[in-house]
């Protein structure tokens, strides 16, 4: 069985929902994971913000606008009076629940319930539409099988057992529809897998049922070899291995959420990125196979700060790096890049919440220099150290651009370079020209 996940834009209007319904109806049984319709989760966040700030009028304004939008969608989506009625009832019940939270104490718990409504609505609407058009589709509630443990990590054995039981209850179903993103936590409360988490749901579902393939449907024809919003002449990459895809997803390729990679990789389930607007395009296939000796793609991560700690005493000293890293751990700030020399170490972070405290603590061990306004440019491919020439190509492409840090050797799949944000576009374009478009 395959798992197909459709993102917010892919189900962003009544027409888009109808297009998705056409795509998912075939003889093969499948599980369809849906995000909330585009913009909905942001509106639900906005509603929660108003309620935290004890501003029910602000919240109600957003709620009314959103409810109106959904009533319009219902009118357009269904053909018969019977299903228009069912659709309206569905919307009504979800908005009644949202409105009930505008009157009382508002906490993290209520917020999680509000945030869950987007996926509950999109899947409810889609399932009704499929039923109206004669498809025997079954709604499998994510809240009945998707669960996280006490560490907020997916509870894999629970998910596997519960989901398979739920599927077995419906041997005659043509297809199954389920919500992305939402789950219950270890205390059975409604929770979620973090923003963008629907990809993660798809991957966890795929792993739980040993799917033959996980398809992530978006509105672009696969992972591109550079950011098409910034760089000219990018093209889709046909094949990536999981490690390459993980580096790209983490370092800024928006098409796939980084958490989605691991469950698929561990269970050896290929992930295919496909385009709802152009369903026949081949997209990108992500699997455990590596195409030898090829540089695949470039991505960039914004809002990076570099911190350099220079110690006169690092020479032959042991324990210096441990002390430095412990400071970042203490302040719960993950490090992205690291480079070292015999007298110092440079690291990058993108979370500046505890920057002041980190700098204060680091000053105990040496001279600290901070540079802000940087981006990490990451080049990904089969970059094993005994493949020759790729480092030279990358460095040559950036010959006119100041580079603050270079990191290679942490994996066989990536070279990371730190440049000024103001040079980002120039750097990405130069890399595309030299690595992919054969310009010298
Ligand atoms: N609807 C959620 C969000 O916007 C989850 C997702 O779309 O992946 O973050
Ligand atoms: Mg998404």
């Amino acid at each position: 069985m395959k798992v197909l996940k459709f993102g917010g834009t892919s189900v962003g209007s009544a027409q888009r929902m109808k297009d998705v319904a056409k795509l998912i109806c075939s003889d093969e049984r499948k599980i369809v994971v849906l995000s909330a319709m585009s913009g909905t989760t942001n509106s639900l966040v906005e509603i929660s913000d108003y309620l935290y700030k004890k501003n029910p009028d602000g919240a109600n304004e957003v709620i009314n606008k959103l409810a109106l939008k959904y009533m319009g969608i219902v009118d357009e989506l269904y053909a018969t009076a019977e299903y228009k009625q069912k659709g309206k009832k569905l919307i009504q019940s979800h908005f009644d629940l949202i409105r009930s939270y505008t009157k009382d104490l508002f906490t993290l718990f209520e917020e999680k319930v509000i945030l869950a409504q987007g996926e509950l609505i999109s899947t409810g609407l889609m399932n009704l539409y499929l039923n109206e058009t004669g498809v025997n589709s079954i709604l499998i509630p994510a809240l009945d099988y998707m669960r996280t443990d006490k560490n907020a990590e997916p509870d894999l054995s629970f998910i596997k057992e519960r989901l398979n039981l739920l599927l077995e209850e419906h041997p005659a179903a043509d297809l199954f529809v389920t919500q992305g993103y939402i789950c219950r936590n270890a205390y059975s409360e409604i929770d979620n897998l973090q923003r963008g988490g629907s990809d993660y749901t798809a991957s966890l579902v795929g792993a739980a049922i040993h799917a033959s393939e996980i398809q992530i449907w978006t509105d672009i024809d696969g992972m591109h070899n550079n950011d098409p919003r910034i760089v000219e002449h990018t093209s889709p990459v046909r094949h990536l291995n999981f490690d390459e895809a993980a580096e790209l997803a983490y370092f800024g390729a928006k098409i796939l959420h980084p958490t989605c990679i691991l469950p698929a990789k561990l269970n050896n389930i290929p992930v295919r990125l496909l385009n709802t607007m152009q369903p026949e395009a081949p997209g990108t296939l992500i699997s455990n196979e590596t195409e030898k000796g090829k540089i695949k793609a470039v991505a960039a991560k914004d809002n990076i700060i570099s911190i350099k700690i220079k110690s006169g005493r690092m020479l032959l000293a042991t324990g210096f790096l441990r002390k430095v890293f412990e400071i970042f751990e203490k302040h719960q700030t993950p490090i992205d890049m690291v480079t070292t020399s015999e007298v110092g170490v440079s690291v990058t972070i993108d979370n500046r919440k505890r920057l002041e405290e980190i700098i204060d603590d680091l000053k105990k061990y040496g001279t600290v220099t901070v540079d802000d306004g940087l981006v990490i440019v990451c080049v990904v491919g089969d970059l094993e150290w005994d493949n020759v020439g790729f480092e030279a190509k990358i460095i040559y492409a950036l010959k006119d651009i100041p580079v603050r840090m270079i990191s290679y050797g942490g994996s066989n799949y990536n070279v990371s370079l730190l440049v000024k944000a103001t040079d980002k576009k120039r750097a990405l374009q130069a890399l595309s020209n030299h690595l992919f478009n054969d310009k010298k």
Side-chain angles (χ1 to χ4, degrees), residues 387-398:
N387 294 351
V388 291
F390 64 86
E391 305 93 334
K393 268 193 194 161
I394 294 166
I395 302 288
Y396 184 75
L398 298 179

Side-chain angles (χ1 to χ4, degrees), residues 48-61:
S48 305
D49 283 347
Y50 277 123
L51 294 175
Y52 272 124
K53 291 180 185 138
K54 300 199 177 14
N55 181 350
D57 292 343
N60 276 317
E61 206 173 299

Side-chain angles (χ1 to χ4, degrees), residues 35-36 41 119 181 195-198:
S35 287
T41 310
E119 272 71 11
Y181 175 61
R195 291 303 304 271
S198 294

Side-chain angles (χ1 to χ4, degrees), residues 69-85:
K69 180 176 135 183
Y70 274 107
M71 289 303 181
I73 288 164
V74 164
D75 259 334
E76 205 186 322
L77 186 57
Y78 304 107
T80 58
E82 182 195 348
Y83 275 86
K84 282 183 204 285
Q85 189 57 31

Side-chain angles (χ1 to χ4, degrees), residues 334-349:
I335 293 171
D336 279 328
M337 271 174 89
V338 183
T339 55
T340 62
S341 82
E342 198 48 55
V343 291
V345 53
S346 277
V347 302
T348 71
I349 59 170

Side-chain angles (χ1 to χ4, degrees), residues 5 35 196 199:
K5 179 258 170 180
S35 287
D199 292 353

Side-chain angles (χ1 to χ4, degrees), residues 194 303 305 307 327-328 330-334 349-360 372:
Q194 310 286 334
N303 294 318
I305 300 172
I307 304 172
I327 291 171
F328 289 88
K330 176 178 149 200
H331 295 291
Q332 304 228 305
T333 302
I349 59 170
D350 69 347
N351 177 347
R352 56 195 70 216
K353 266 195 219 133
R354 309 283 288 272
L355 185 60
E356 294 295 317
E357 293 96 318
I358 290 171
I359 295 170
D360 279 347
D372 204 343

Side-chain angles (χ1 to χ4, degrees), residues 245-298:
E247 303 275 9
L248 286 171
Y250 183 70
F251 283 107
K254 289 282 178 293
I255 181 166
L256 184 69
H257 201 272
T259 51
C260 160
I261 311 273
L262 198 60
K265 177 185 156 137
L266 292 178
N267 292 279
N268 201 13
I269 303 169
V271 176
R272 208 181 278 279
L273 309 179
L274 292 160
N275 184 358
T276 335
M277 317 293 161
Q278 220 186 312
E280 59 300 322
T284 301
L285 178 67
I286 307 169
S287 72
N288 273 322
E289 266 151 53
T290 309
E291 260 182 284
K292 287 286 168 208
K294 266 180 104 170
I295 299 183
K296 289 298 181 62
V298 175

